[in-house]
Short mmCIF file of all heavy atoms in Angstrom, two decimals:
data_model
loop_
_atom_site.label_atom_id
_atom_site.label_comp_id
_atom_site.label_asym_id
_atom_site.label_seq_id
_atom_site.Cartn_x
_atom_site.Cartn_y
_atom_site.Cartn_z
N LEU A 1 -5.19 18.29 5.64
CA LEU A 1 -3.96 18.85 6.17
C LEU A 1 -3.90 20.36 6.03
O LEU A 1 -3.36 21.08 6.88
CB LEU A 1 -2.72 18.22 5.48
CG LEU A 1 -2.49 16.72 5.82
CD1 LEU A 1 -1.30 16.26 5.03
CD2 LEU A 1 -2.26 16.53 7.30
N GLU A 2 -4.44 20.87 4.96
CA GLU A 2 -4.48 22.33 4.79
C GLU A 2 -5.44 22.98 5.80
O GLU A 2 -5.30 24.16 6.12
CB GLU A 2 -4.95 22.66 3.36
CG GLU A 2 -3.89 22.33 2.30
CD GLU A 2 -4.36 22.49 0.89
OE1 GLU A 2 -5.61 22.57 0.75
OE2 GLU A 2 -3.53 22.49 -0.01
N ASN A 3 -6.38 22.22 6.33
CA ASN A 3 -7.34 22.76 7.29
C ASN A 3 -6.86 22.62 8.77
O ASN A 3 -7.59 23.02 9.70
CB ASN A 3 -8.69 22.03 7.17
CG ASN A 3 -9.38 22.39 5.90
OD1 ASN A 3 -9.12 23.39 5.28
ND2 ASN A 3 -10.28 21.52 5.48
N LEU A 4 -5.63 22.15 8.96
CA LEU A 4 -5.10 22.07 10.32
C LEU A 4 -4.97 23.53 10.86
O LEU A 4 -4.64 24.44 10.10
CB LEU A 4 -3.75 21.43 10.33
CG LEU A 4 -3.74 19.91 10.49
CD1 LEU A 4 -2.31 19.39 10.37
CD2 LEU A 4 -4.37 19.48 11.78
N PRO A 5 -5.20 23.74 12.13
CA PRO A 5 -5.03 25.08 12.70
C PRO A 5 -3.60 25.63 12.49
O PRO A 5 -2.65 24.91 12.48
CB PRO A 5 -5.31 24.87 14.17
CG PRO A 5 -6.10 23.62 14.31
CD PRO A 5 -5.62 22.78 13.15
N ALA A 6 -3.57 26.94 12.34
CA ALA A 6 -2.27 27.60 12.01
C ALA A 6 -1.43 27.89 13.30
O ALA A 6 -0.29 28.23 13.17
CB ALA A 6 -2.50 28.85 11.27
N ASN A 7 -2.03 27.70 14.45
CA ASN A 7 -1.28 27.99 15.68
C ASN A 7 -0.67 26.74 16.31
O ASN A 7 -0.50 26.72 17.49
CB ASN A 7 -2.19 28.76 16.71
CG ASN A 7 -3.46 28.03 16.94
OD1 ASN A 7 -3.85 27.13 16.23
ND2 ASN A 7 -4.18 28.48 17.98
N LEU A 8 -0.26 25.82 15.46
CA LEU A 8 0.43 24.63 15.93
C LEU A 8 1.96 24.98 15.95
O LEU A 8 2.37 26.00 15.39
CB LEU A 8 0.23 23.47 14.99
CG LEU A 8 -1.17 22.87 14.99
CD1 LEU A 8 -1.37 21.93 13.83
CD2 LEU A 8 -1.42 22.17 16.29
N PRO A 9 2.76 24.18 16.61
CA PRO A 9 4.19 24.43 16.61
C PRO A 9 4.80 24.43 15.16
O PRO A 9 4.29 23.71 14.30
CB PRO A 9 4.78 23.28 17.42
CG PRO A 9 3.66 22.76 18.21
CD PRO A 9 2.43 23.00 17.43
N THR A 10 5.84 25.19 14.99
CA THR A 10 6.41 25.34 13.62
C THR A 10 6.92 24.00 13.11
O THR A 10 6.86 23.83 11.89
CB THR A 10 7.52 26.40 13.63
OG1 THR A 10 8.50 26.03 14.58
CG2 THR A 10 6.98 27.76 13.94
N GLU A 11 7.44 23.13 13.94
CA GLU A 11 7.96 21.88 13.45
C GLU A 11 6.84 21.04 12.81
O GLU A 11 7.01 20.42 11.76
CB GLU A 11 8.60 21.01 14.60
CG GLU A 11 9.78 21.64 15.25
CD GLU A 11 9.39 22.63 16.35
OE1 GLU A 11 8.26 22.49 16.92
OE2 GLU A 11 10.21 23.50 16.67
N ILE A 12 5.71 21.03 13.47
CA ILE A 12 4.54 20.26 12.94
C ILE A 12 4.02 20.92 11.60
O ILE A 12 3.75 20.24 10.70
CB ILE A 12 3.40 20.19 13.99
CG1 ILE A 12 3.90 19.29 15.14
CG2 ILE A 12 2.14 19.62 13.36
CD1 ILE A 12 2.90 19.17 16.28
N LEU A 13 3.99 22.26 11.58
CA LEU A 13 3.51 22.94 10.40
C LEU A 13 4.50 22.75 9.23
O LEU A 13 4.04 22.59 8.10
CB LEU A 13 3.31 24.41 10.70
CG LEU A 13 2.15 24.75 11.63
CD1 LEU A 13 2.11 26.27 11.94
CD2 LEU A 13 0.85 24.29 11.05
N GLN A 14 5.79 22.76 9.52
CA GLN A 14 6.74 22.53 8.45
C GLN A 14 6.64 21.10 7.91
O GLN A 14 6.70 20.92 6.72
CB GLN A 14 8.20 22.76 8.97
CG GLN A 14 8.47 24.28 9.15
CD GLN A 14 9.84 24.45 9.84
OE1 GLN A 14 10.44 23.56 10.32
NE2 GLN A 14 10.29 25.73 9.79
N PHE A 15 6.46 20.16 8.79
CA PHE A 15 6.37 18.79 8.38
C PHE A 15 5.11 18.58 7.58
O PHE A 15 5.01 17.87 6.54
CB PHE A 15 6.38 17.85 9.59
CG PHE A 15 6.61 16.43 9.27
CD1 PHE A 15 7.82 16.03 8.76
CD2 PHE A 15 5.60 15.49 9.43
CE1 PHE A 15 8.04 14.71 8.44
CE2 PHE A 15 5.80 14.17 9.09
CZ PHE A 15 7.04 13.80 8.59
N ARG A 16 3.97 19.26 8.03
CA ARG A 16 2.73 19.24 7.30
C ARG A 16 2.88 19.81 5.89
O ARG A 16 2.42 19.24 4.91
CB ARG A 16 1.68 20.04 8.03
CG ARG A 16 0.34 20.08 7.31
CD ARG A 16 -0.50 21.24 7.70
NE ARG A 16 0.15 22.52 7.31
CZ ARG A 16 -0.37 23.71 7.49
NH1 ARG A 16 -1.55 23.79 8.06
NH2 ARG A 16 0.25 24.77 7.10
N ASP A 17 3.63 20.87 5.76
CA ASP A 17 3.90 21.48 4.47
C ASP A 17 4.67 20.53 3.56
O ASP A 17 4.43 20.48 2.34
CB ASP A 17 4.63 22.84 4.61
CG ASP A 17 3.74 23.88 5.24
OD1 ASP A 17 2.50 23.69 5.26
OD2 ASP A 17 4.33 24.87 5.78
N GLU A 18 5.64 19.79 4.12
CA GLU A 18 6.38 18.83 3.31
C GLU A 18 5.43 17.73 2.79
O GLU A 18 5.55 17.34 1.61
CB GLU A 18 7.43 18.16 4.20
CG GLU A 18 8.62 19.00 4.51
CD GLU A 18 9.58 18.31 5.43
OE1 GLU A 18 9.59 17.00 5.45
OE2 GLU A 18 10.32 18.95 6.12
N VAL A 19 4.52 17.29 3.63
CA VAL A 19 3.59 16.24 3.20
C VAL A 19 2.61 16.79 2.13
O VAL A 19 2.38 16.13 1.10
CB VAL A 19 2.78 15.66 4.41
CG1 VAL A 19 1.71 14.70 3.93
CG2 VAL A 19 3.72 15.01 5.41
N ILE A 20 2.16 18.03 2.31
CA ILE A 20 1.27 18.65 1.32
C ILE A 20 2.03 18.80 -0.02
O ILE A 20 1.43 18.58 -1.08
CB ILE A 20 0.78 19.99 1.85
CG1 ILE A 20 -0.23 19.76 2.95
CG2 ILE A 20 0.14 20.80 0.69
CD1 ILE A 20 -0.72 21.02 3.61
N GLU A 21 3.29 19.16 0.04
CA GLU A 21 4.08 19.32 -1.19
C GLU A 21 4.16 17.98 -1.94
O GLU A 21 4.05 17.92 -3.15
CB GLU A 21 5.45 19.86 -0.87
CG GLU A 21 6.27 20.18 -2.09
CD GLU A 21 7.61 20.81 -1.68
OE1 GLU A 21 7.65 21.63 -0.76
OE2 GLU A 21 8.61 20.46 -2.33
N GLN A 22 4.39 16.89 -1.21
CA GLN A 22 4.43 15.58 -1.86
C GLN A 22 3.07 15.22 -2.40
O GLN A 22 2.97 14.63 -3.48
CB GLN A 22 4.89 14.50 -0.87
CG GLN A 22 6.37 14.29 -0.85
CD GLN A 22 6.71 13.07 0.02
OE1 GLN A 22 6.29 13.04 1.20
NE2 GLN A 22 7.43 12.16 -0.54
N LEU A 23 2.04 15.57 -1.67
CA LEU A 23 0.65 15.25 -2.12
C LEU A 23 0.32 16.03 -3.36
O LEU A 23 -0.45 15.55 -4.20
CB LEU A 23 -0.33 15.51 -1.03
CG LEU A 23 -0.35 14.50 0.08
CD1 LEU A 23 -1.23 14.98 1.24
CD2 LEU A 23 -0.87 13.13 -0.44
N ASN A 24 0.82 17.28 -3.54
CA ASN A 24 0.56 18.03 -4.73
C ASN A 24 0.98 17.35 -5.97
O ASN A 24 0.37 17.42 -7.03
CB ASN A 24 1.27 19.41 -4.66
CG ASN A 24 0.54 20.36 -3.73
OD1 ASN A 24 -0.65 20.28 -3.49
ND2 ASN A 24 1.27 21.34 -3.19
#
C-alpha cells in the first residue's frame, strides 16, 4: 500500500492512509 503511486485521487490516498494507520 505504501508503494501505490502518489498521483491517485485524494480520496483513494486518504483511504489508503487510514488502512496503513490501522496496519501500523
Side-chain angles (χ1 to χ4, degrees):
L1 291 179
E2 289 172 346
N3 290 339
L4 274 175
N7 53 348
L8 292 169
T10 56
E11 298 86 23
I12 292 177
L13 292 176
Q14 287 173 347
F15 195 68
R16 178 202 65 176
D17 292 340
E18 288 176 23
V19 174
I20 289 174
E21 187 175 319
Q22 269 187 306
L23 286 170
N24 283 335

